[in-house]
Amino acid sequence: MTPKEFFEFAKSHGAEMVDLKFTDLLGTWQHCSFPVEVWDEDTFVEGVGFDGSSIRGWQGIHMSDMLAVPDPSTTVIDPFFKEPTLSVIANIVDPVSKEPYSRDPRHIAKKGIDYMKQLGIATECLIGPEPEFFIFDEVRFDQTTNMGFYQIDSVEGAWNTNRIEEPNLGYKPGYKGGYFPVSPTDTYHDLRSEMSREMKKVGIVVEAHHHEVGTGGQAEIDMKYDNLLKMADHFMWYKYIVKNVAKRAGKTVTFMPKPIFEDNGSGMHTHFSLWKDGQPLFAGEKYAGLSQLALYSIGGLLKHAPAILAFAAPTINSYRRLVPGFEAPVNLVMSARNRSAAVRIPMYHSNPKAKRFEFRCPDPSGNAYLTWTAMLMAVLDGIENKIDPGDPLDRDIYDMTVTELAKYPKVPESLEKALDALEEDHEFLIKGGVITEDVIKTWIDYKRKNEVKEIMLRPHPYEFFLYYDN
């Protein structure tokens, strides 16, 4: 869509307002709305001003002026405003230099794609994410000087089998019992379908939706794969739509990786493949039907996985999910079909165009632009340096001894250790100026100051069980 077509689109839909959206460093949409008539075609070149010092991880107050330049190709009708409203995603520009802003996540993703093309390795990076989330009826939490608590509730919660519901009919998915049940146990089919329909309105192709393993309303809606930048844009819409549809139904959604104790957390298994000039590059005659280039790709991903997880599993809560004993993978190895490995090669299809690998460690709490760009940069490093992915893990890990498992590298045990890994291993990310040293330092400093340190200062409720009467 061109700027001229943008205004024609607005007129044809009777839209009098335009909502401008962009993503902050941590991966949350920000927005500002304008009457359509105050924009003209020059707006798509000059942009609109805003205060960059009020956006997390961006400018200092002494350099706060920034420009948001709308990308007309992203224009759709926002499905949640009362009156027809255009929605358009912006790229961020420095008002003095007129250069793209180095901390704009969307710009970083563009640079990663450009770098891939410059190397001549591939012309397209395809991403197929599987975000999981929980649908709750209520959430309450607080932290004060003398109190700290959280409480969640769900009509589907296994803990509510004894609740007075006048009547309680007992259809509650059990702990780890929520995978693929039909109604009446699955009470959220219609809500997930409504979410899927809203996604379709903004151009997202939904492949499937279903109840997930966890009790308490865990869900998954899968999008059809697309190129990295477009899929990252889609993922921003995905979160926005899921939350707003839930709120409209009197529910609340969280993408927090581990909100429920003693049950599965929410991941975002990410399917990844490279193509060149319309041809898939990952199909071949090597292990699990992969090409040698695909194996090198996996080698790079596994080598740099601890650093990548600073973006791909970017919260303290992420490491409540990445623990041994649950379905979430902690072993940095590859495997065909084995879901306990960090990298799985799906074996559903023999078509070369379907050949890909699945990175199972990421979760949906982070910034998709940064997560998938970091994955791409690790893959490119693996191809350039011919990194061996090592032997596959094709056994059931629950049948293996501690000694046998000890030889396989593991994911970091905490966000703090993932940040340490990123600090020590980021040369692969700064190649081609894709993710700058400034962005990496800003990310690490923000996470350490605002998350790691703040959690360290606060007593945990379970500490009272452990230590109060010592």
Side-chain angles (χ1 to χ4, degrees):
M1 185 179 295
T2 65
K4 181 180 179 181
E5 291 169 337
F6 171 88
F7 292 104
E8 293 171 350
F9 185 75
K11 184 177 181 179
S12 67
H13 286 80
E16 298 180 0
M17 298 293 292
V18 55
D19 196 57
L20 188 67
K21 298 178 173 72
F22 61 87
T23 307
D24 71 7
L25 189 64
L26 298 189
T28 300
W29 250 354
Q30 314 294 311
H31 83 129
C32 185
S33 299
F34 307 83
V36 172
E37 64 265 22
V38 305
W39 282 22
D40 56 29
E41 291 189 29
D42 288 342
T43 307
F44 293 87
V45 177
E46 298 172 357
V48 296
F50 69 97
D51 176 11
S53 68
S54 297
I55 306 301
R56 296 181 301 175
W58 279 13
Q59 295 291 81
I61 197 166
H62 62 296
M63 298 177 66
S64 59
D65 288 354
M66 299 294 291
L67 290 172
V69 181
D71 179 350
S73 70
T74 65
T75 304
V76 296
I77 298 293
D78 191 299
F80 297 105
F81 294 120
K82 181 179 179 181
E83 300 296 333
T85 301
L86 300 188
S87 180
V88 60
I89 298 174
N91 298 311
I92 309 305
V93 171
D94 184 283
V96 177
S97 68
K98 303 299 182 182
E99 292 294 320
Y101 184 43
S102 64
R103 296 185 190 176
D104 175 13
R106 198 165 189 263
H107 175 55
I108 291 170
K110 288 181 178 180
K111 287 193 292 182
I113 296 165
D114 289 344
Y115 179 68
M116 171 190 71
K117 293 177 180 178
Q118 290 167 12
L119 292 178
I121 291 173
T123 55
E124 196 167 25
C125 173
L126 296 183
I127 301 291
E130 298 177 353
E132 299 167 343
F133 54 92
F134 279 90
I135 304 168
F136 294 138
D137 291 286
E138 184 178 36
V139 57
R140 296 189 297 124
F141 52 89
D142 201 1
Q143 176 74 63
T144 66
T145 301
N146 68 322
M147 177 186 69
F149 85 101
Y150 73 89
Q151 185 171 358
I152 56 177
D153 206 0
S154 168
V155 69
E156 284 195 356
W159 56 86
N160 278 327
T161 54
N162 67 348
R163 186 170 68 174
I164 298 174
E165 295 181 352
E166 297 183 346
N168 188 326
L169 301 178
Y171 295 114
K172 318 287 186 186
Y175 295 105
K176 295 182 174 295
Y179 192 68
F180 277 27
V182 298
S183 60
T185 302
D186 176 9
T187 66
Y188 287 128
H189 168 86
D190 288 340
L191 189 62
R192 295 192 307 269
S193 292
E194 184 179 348
M195 293 169 178
S196 300
R197 287 193 296 272
E198 297 292 0
M199 290 180 191
K200 184 178 179 181
K201 291 179 184 178
V202 300
I204 296 174
V205 178
V206 172
E207 288 194 321
H209 73 70
H210 59 86
H211 204 290
E212 255 299 340
V213 174
T215 190
Q218 192 179 31
E220 177 175 318
I221 301 175
D222 296 334
M223 296 177 280
K224 184 180 180 180
Y225 64 86
D226 213 322
N227 69 73
L228 189 155
L229 181 64
K230 192 170 184 180
M231 182 53 72
D233 289 345
H234 282 341
F235 184 59
M236 300 307 298
W237 274 111
Y238 182 105
K239 282 188 166 182
Y240 179 74
I241 287 170
V242 165
K243 290 178 180 179
N244 277 283
V245 170
K247 184 175 184 294
R248 195 162 65 191
K251 306 287 184 177
T252 178
V253 157
T254 182
F255 289 91
M256 187 176 174
K258 186 73 171 179
I260 297 180
F261 174 52
E262 292 187 321
D263 206 346
N264 281 40
S266 293
M268 186 174 68
H269 308 149
T270 297
H271 295 255
F272 184 106
S273 65
L274 295 181
W275 290 54
K276 187 172 185 179
D277 299 328
Q279 297 300 315
L281 299 180
F282 277 9
E285 303 300 324
K286 300 292 184 178
Y287 173 77
L290 294 174
S291 65
Q292 184 62 64
L293 181 139
L295 291 176
Y296 289 149
S297 298
I298 294 171
L301 187 67
L302 291 174
K303 175 183 177 180
H304 299 299
I308 294 170
L309 288 180
F311 296 116
T315 69
I316 289 172
N317 185 256
S318 298
Y319 298 86
R320 312 284 190 245
R321 167 183 170 258
L322 292 175
V323 294
F326 292 88
E327 188 177 319
V330 296
N331 300 291
L332 293 177
V333 293
M334 68 172 179
S335 177
R337 305 174 68 181
N338 191 338
R339 283 173 162 78
S340 63
V343 174
R344 183 179 74 95
I345 299 93
M347 302 299 289
Y348 301 124
H349 308 288
S350 58
N351 188 334
K353 292 183 177 181
K355 186 55 65 175
R356 62 201 186 273
F357 68 71
E358 175 193 33
F359 188 35
R360 296 179 59 79
C361 298
D363 66 56
S365 66
N367 188 325
Y369 296 100
L370 300 183
T371 293
W372 297 333
T373 302
M375 287 177 59
L376 173 61
M377 295 301 288
V379 162
L380 295 176
D381 187 64
I383 295 169
E384 283 192 289
N385 293 291
K386 299 182 177 180
I387 298 175
D388 185 352
D391 295 332
L393 176 60
D394 289 332
R395 293 178 56 190
D396 185 339
I397 62 169
Y398 301 108
D399 291 335
M400 298 174 67
T401 66
V402 173
T403 302
E404 288 174 319
L405 278 173
K407 71 177 184 178
Y408 295 104
K410 303 289 190 293
V411 300
E413 296 177 349
S414 65
L415 175 61
E416 187 173 14
K417 290 186 178 180
L419 294 171
D420 290 343
L422 177 60
E423 194 168 49
E424 296 170 5
D425 175 28
H426 60 258
E427 291 298 319
F428 71 102
L429 295 172
I430 64 176
K431 290 180 180 179
V434 174
I435 303 182
T436 64
E437 290 270 12
D438 169 70
V439 168
I440 292 168
K441 184 178 186 304
T442 300
W443 182 269
I444 292 171
D445 290 348
Y446 186 95
K447 288 286 179 176
R448 284 176 173 165
K449 177 182 177 181
N450 295 283
E451 299 181 32
V452 174
K453 183 178 178 181
E454 292 298 324
I455 290 290
M456 288 175 62
L457 292 173
R458 287 161 170 77
H460 188 285
Y462 195 65
E463 292 175 23
F464 284 80
F465 287 93
L466 294 173
Y467 310 127
Y468 186 78
D469 197 31
N470 279 6

